[in-house]
Structures are given as C-alpha cells and as structure tokens.
Amino acid sequence: MKLLQQYQRCDSDRSALTISTLVMVSVAAFAFSPGITIASELTTVVVSGDAVPGIPEELVFEAAISGAVPTISRNGIVALVLSTDENSRGTWTFDSATGGPLSLFGLTGDPVAGPPDELQFTSLQIYAIDNQAALSFRSSLGMGSGSAGVALGAKNALAAVAYQGEDAPGFEPLNFNGSMSHPALSPSGDLVFSGRVSSMRGAWYQAQGSSLDVLLGPNLPAPGLPPGNTIAEVNDEGVNNIPINAHGTAAVYVQLTVGGDVTFDDDLAIYKGTPGALEIAIRKGTPVAGLPRSGRIDEFVPRFSLNDDGDMAVWVVADENHTGIVSLENNILGLLAAEGDVAPGMDAGEVFESNSGSPFAIPIISTSGETYFSSLVSPGSGSATGFGIWKGTVSTGPSIIARDGDPVDPLLPAVVIGAINIDNYVVAPEGSVIFQATLSGKGVDGSNNLALLRHDPSDGLSVVAREGDLLEVRAGDFRMIDGFEFSTLSNGLDGRPSSVCATAFVFRLTFDDESSGVFLLDLRDCITDFNGDGLTNGADLATLLSVWGSDSPIGDLNGDGIVDGGDLATLLANWGLCDS
C-alpha cells in the first residue's frame, strides 16, 4: 500500500491549486473539503469497466456494479455478486490478505449437486462466507417453474442443503414449503437457517461435514422446560435473525406453546446452543433492574448480536412499548440503557428519546463483550434533538463514542457531524466503529454532506469516503463519489453478512457517472501486521513472500510498485508487537 501520495486541491471556486508537497497517509482513508482529490489507503477490489475474470468472452463488468452488498469472512475473503455487460450474473471472491486477484466462484446456470439432478442456480443471493471461502446462499434453484432453496459449498462444489418440496428433517413426511431465511455460516462451515413446514416456521442446523438436523420447530419439545412443553414456532419471519458463532453456537428466537408450564406472560424465549444442547438464554417476563414500567421483558426486537463467548446484545421491549438495550455477559443479564435514561456525553438534560417509542437501533456486541448501540436523544419527553453512538458493559455503563457536533476529521476542522444514521453502523473486531453521517459546517452543502466515518479507539474520528470527493479508482482514473452501501449492524462474529473483519472494511461506492465499485479499507494498526493479530511475525513474513516480485498492495509497503527487499526491510524493522 502506498504511504506517500501527492494530492491536488481545489479552492472554494473550484479552480485548481496544485500542491507539490508529499503527504503521509494514515491507515484510514481521508478526504478533504469539496473538490479535493482523495489520497487514500483504499484498495480497489473491482470497478465498473474492469475485465471479467474466469469467463472466456471479452466482457467487462457493467456500468453499475449491481448485486448483493459485498460480505467478508473472518480471515478477509470478500464475496460479491456482480453482473457483466451481457447480463451474465455470478459470484466472485477476493482475498484481501494477498490483495487479490478477483476469482470467479460460480455463475447463474451452474449445476447444484444433490437430488433432483436438474437443480441449478437461477438467481444468486450470497449470504455468508467461511474461512475456507465456502459460501452459503438462499437462491432460486431452477426446477421447471423454480424453487426456493439453501445451498452451501466451495468453488465448483456447490450442493443443495435444503429446497422447497424436500423432506424437512424432524418433520418427515412433511416438506419444506419455501420462505427460507438466508443461511448463517460459522468460520468452520457450520450452517443454520429457518424455513416453513406447513404454515409454521422452524430452524435447521448442519454441522460442517454432517447431515441436516432440526434445531427447533413447531410442536417439538421445548428444551430446558419440563416434558410436555413444546415450541409453537421460530420467530424468524425470514429476515435472517439466527446468528452462529465460531464454536457453532446458534441463537434462536421462539414462541413457546401456551399451556402446561407456559403462560402468556413468559411465552417468548431466545435459545442458545447446538442440536441436542440448547438452553434458554433470555425469556419473556424476566425482570431486569432499570427497565421502564414493570421492569420485565415483554418482547424482543427480533435481531440480536452474538459473540464467540456466547455473550449477547438484545433490544427489548417492556410493557407499554418502552424499550431498552440489555446484554447477556457470562450468562448474567443486565441493562445498559433505557428510554428516558440520561444519555452520557450529550447535552445537559438530554435523555435517550422516549417520544417515538423506538429511539434505539439494533445493538452489536464486540469480541471483548462490550455492547455498542446508537440512539436518538431528546430533552425530556420532547422530539429528538440529537444522535449518538455508545459502548459499554453492564458494570461500566455506556460511554459516548460519537455524537452530533463532533469534528469529523483533523483535516476538516470546520466540518462536524450534523446527524448520524443510527441504523447504518458496524463494529469491527478490533474496536473500530464505521457509520454513515450527514455533515454540516464550512463548505458543506447538498452535494457533499454525506460521509462514511470511522471511529478508531486510538485515533478518534476520520473520514473514510465522502459524497462529492474524487477517488482514484485505478491509476489515472478519477471518479466523483455519489453514494455508499455496506452490510450494516454487523460485528464480523455472528455468521451473518458482514462488512468487517479484524483487518478490513468492505463497501460499495457509486459515482456520479453512474458507475460503481467495491473497495477495502485497511483497519490494521500497523501495515506489516497482515493478519491483524497485533504482531508482525512469521505469518506476516510468509504473506509477504507469497506476493514477492508482484505489485500487490498488501506487500508493497513502500509504494514503489513492487514487493522486494525494501518491503522486507520494513517488515523486519517492525518485527514483534505492533505499536500502531
């Protein structure tokens, strides 16, 4: 990656002023004021007009890189759905650890192993990717009139896991009747999804290398309750609410059948575990100190966050629609924030907004067990007047990370956050928070007021990309940013689509000429720590040697266009613990 780059600046009337000074670029990308060319640590994965790898014909990717938002595995493998200029649609992967190249995974029309023999993809909806570059899909599997299904596999080895009309394990002879959720995938390849049998929804689980097994479903015994109590239905509704962590532990929201030991006061629960080893993690009716009104959980917002320790962050509803953010830390449930609580770090008198009934966004739990959440704030019971993002644990309470009015970047001292899009944020395993915001301040107008911002635990806020700025997507090819898109509300830990891993953030940019592309932002503290483990050691040396003699942006540490002895000297000089 280039550390020294020359930039060009435009003054307020857009006339060019060339700056001959070389500027040191940080790991994060940076943008300046309107009309400035971005000098950036972004890596271009693919951009409109690039040649299509893996297809013999002379095709290029279409003007708008369309398809699903890109997702990234824990070890940095990017998966993305793309279309060509002749409407050929497929899936490609890109290894961020080595800087590529883009590699074809599969195309619509490719065969899918498993009965019946005529199965093939007629659409591709990539969902998750594991550390072996196996992908999980919810797709249309062409069988005459078409059929919904779930598929999993590596390149040239795709197999149907379940599809409409197939016997549903645990419910034979009943069949899957469609309406399957996207399948979440652990780093080692364990898979979980929900689907319908008859009119009711259940959840299924496939451990890596094993057959499909029912996890929870209608009329099946309710684990952890006395015999005779059953599950009424899995409350997934096809919106991808079942996470799975590195140990294969899944978390499933269910409705219990009222009767026996279950009443209407406790008929909702979140289970956690694997087939045959499930326990109730959180249940309706559980008292939580500090929750409004009755102080008991009445409902769960049906998407929650899970980490590898089994800790969870959940947005809950108390009676009369008052909500709060709770976390399950070491199997102990506690409250972080509730409507009407004083909002730390905000203006005097501002509280987590209680007028709209839904001030919070989906919370995210980190590797370390800290819960991150965003919220509107207001003075007492009035309308929302501010926005913020917080993190904390039950024992420490929440502390502010970013809020409206904060300066967005040392390079833009007169520009501040005007508003935070509270639903568009992610938390990287290394602690960075990346979010979408509206800017205000000097030189800001409707053409340049949207930005992607990063909050680094050590370095604070910086701009990743900004509407109206120019980006050099390939050598000499400058395009003006018009918008951005990324997989939101993810932590890179729960088997669902993620835009972050320990080393990188992947996102899509659109440009004012209607072209677009996919880009990576390096999140590492030091450039020689290729795998993001906090050390420069033998693993990083092996990565550098694997791209020796190439122009890989991963190994080209001094930006001279080739990976050689100069880069090796840089790596050896940084050997040991990274100090940023």
Side-chain angles (χ1 to χ4, degrees):
M1 290 193 177
K2 295 183 179 179
L3 292 181
L4 295 174
Q5 298 191 15
Q6 193 168 12
Y7 68 89
Q8 184 182 59
R9 176 180 176 183
C10 297
D11 62 17
S12 58
D13 65 1
R14 302 282 178 124
S15 59
L17 170 65
T18 300
I19 308 247
S20 58
T21 310
L22 288 174
V23 206
M24 182 65 74
V25 182
S26 69
V27 170
F30 66 78
F32 302 89
S33 57
I36 303 271
T37 299
I38 296 177
S40 169
E41 279 297 311
L42 298 181
T43 296
T44 300
V45 175
V46 63
V47 70
S48 302
D50 283 355
V52 179
I55 298 177
E57 294 85 354
E58 296 297 321
L59 299 178
V60 296
F61 289 115
E62 64 180 15
I65 297 290
S66 62
V69 177
T71 188
I72 191 167
S73 69
R74 290 200 188 200
N75 59 348
I77 303 171
V78 177
L80 56 164
V81 175
L82 302 169
S83 298
T84 72
D85 57 357
E86 291 189 4
N87 294 318
S88 179
R89 189 174 175 88
T91 300
W92 281 261
T93 59
F94 179 92
D95 190 347
S96 67
T98 60
L102 203 64
S103 175
L104 176 66
F105 182 93
L107 297 169
T108 53
D110 281 355
V112 180
D117 293 337
E118 65 269 24
L119 280 177
Q120 65 179 25
F121 282 122
T122 57
S123 73
L124 295 168
Q125 296 183 49
I126 214 174
Y127 189 63
I129 181 168
D130 69 14
N131 282 354
Q132 293 73 46
L135 304 181
S136 65
F137 296 86
R138 181 183 72 174
S139 298
S140 293
L141 305 177
M143 296 187 299
S145 61
S147 174
V150 168
L152 170 69
K155 184 177 181 179
N156 300 321
L158 292 168
V161 174
Y163 54 90
Q164 186 174 340
E166 180 190 32
D167 285 350
F171 295 92
E172 299 89 344
L174 297 177
N175 300 331
F176 289 112
N177 70 352
S179 187
M180 295 176 180
S181 73
H182 290 291
L185 192 61
S186 77
S188 59
D190 303 322
L191 177 144
V192 63
F193 67 95
S194 72
R196 287 196 177 276
V197 175
S198 186
S199 62
M200 307 301 285
R201 184 170 289 276
W204 285 264
Y205 187 105
Q206 179 174 289
Q208 200 277 331
S210 301
S211 58
L212 190 64
D213 192 6
V214 66
L215 186 64
L216 290 162
N219 302 316
L220 295 180
L225 296 181
N229 293 285
T230 62
I231 303 294
E233 186 173 18
V234 169
N235 283 350
D236 185 52
E237 296 305 324
V239 291
N240 323 317
N241 295 322
I242 304 179
I244 186 170
N245 67 16
H247 305 296
T249 297
V252 187
Y253 180 23
V254 305
Q255 182 169 355
L256 302 169
T257 305
V258 173
D261 299 280
V262 178
T263 71
F264 287 108
D265 293 326
D266 58 8
D267 63 337
L268 300 173
I270 298 175
Y271 275 94
K272 189 173 65 170
T274 58
L278 288 157
E279 60 183 17
I280 294 177
I282 312 175
R283 189 172 176 184
K284 176 181 176 181
T286 301
V288 180
L291 262 185
R293 301 297 194 268
S294 70
R296 295 179 180 273
I297 296 173
D298 189 58
E299 193 177 347
F300 307 98
V301 176
R303 176 162 173 151
F304 33 84
S305 187
L306 175 72
N307 70 9
D308 288 343
D309 292 329
D311 299 331
M312 298 177 66
V314 187
W315 183 6
V316 301
V317 182
D319 58 344
E320 298 184 27
N321 291 323
H322 285 74
T323 64
I325 301 294
V326 302
S327 68
L328 184 71
E329 304 167 14
N330 298 315
N331 289 320
I332 299 173
L333 189 66
L335 179 74
L336 267 85
E339 290 180 46
D341 286 355
V342 172
M346 302 301 289
D347 295 342
E350 288 189 320
V351 300
F352 295 117
E353 198 258 336
S354 58
N355 190 45
S356 67
S358 56
F360 300 111
I362 302 297
I364 300 172
I365 197 157
S366 69
T367 306
S368 63
E370 290 183 301
T371 292
Y372 293 70
F373 65 94
S374 57
S375 178
L376 308 175
V377 299
S378 65
S381 60
S383 300
T385 55
F387 312 81
I389 301 175
W390 290 261
K391 71 172 182 177
T393 63
V394 172
S395 60
T396 65
S399 59
I400 193 78
I401 292 174
R403 56 158 293 176
D404 57 296
D406 283 349
V408 300
D409 196 300
L411 296 165
L412 292 167
V415 178
V416 300
I417 297 174
I420 293 172
N421 185 328
I422 65 170
D423 292 311
N424 280 12
Y425 79 106
V426 295
V427 178
E430 47 76 59
S432 283
V433 180
I434 299 167
F435 60 97
Q436 183 174 325
T438 302
L439 308 181
S440 64
K442 184 178 179 181
V444 178
D445 57 31
S447 69
N448 61 12
N449 65 338
L450 295 180
L452 275 181
L453 304 181
R454 176 192 181 192
H455 180 274
D456 180 272
S458 301
D459 300 328
L461 282 171
S462 61
V463 175
V464 175
R466 180 180 176 187
E467 177 189 34
D469 277 336
L470 292 173
L471 177 67
E472 187 175 20
V473 299
R474 300 288 186 200
D477 183 356
F478 293 87
R479 306 187 190 185
M480 183 172 287
I481 297 172
D482 184 55
F484 7 80
E485 188 178 16
F486 61 100
S487 185
T488 64
L489 303 174
S490 62
N491 61 2
L493 303 172
D494 60 10
R496 295 183 287 207
S498 179
S499 54
V500 286
C501 66
T503 59
F505 166 65
V506 62
F507 61 106
R508 179 174 174 258
L509 288 176
T510 57
F511 303 102
D512 68 343
D513 62 357
E514 299 187 351
S515 66
S516 55
V518 174
F519 301 87
L520 283 163
L521 172 66
D522 196 327
L523 299 178
R524 295 170 299 164
D525 282 335
C526 53
I527 60 170
T528 53
D529 178 20
F530 299 128
N531 60 6
D533 65 357
L535 297 169
T536 298
N537 56 19
D540 305 300
L541 175 60
T543 297
L544 185 138
L545 295 177
S546 71
V547 293
W548 191 266
S550 74
D551 62 353
S552 167
I554 298 299
D556 183 16
L557 301 175
N558 59 10
D560 64 358
I562 186 169
V563 181
D564 58 11
D567 306 302
L568 177 59
T570 299
L571 185 142
L572 295 176
N574 287 285
W575 197 266
L577 184 68
C578 287
D579 58 1
S580 79

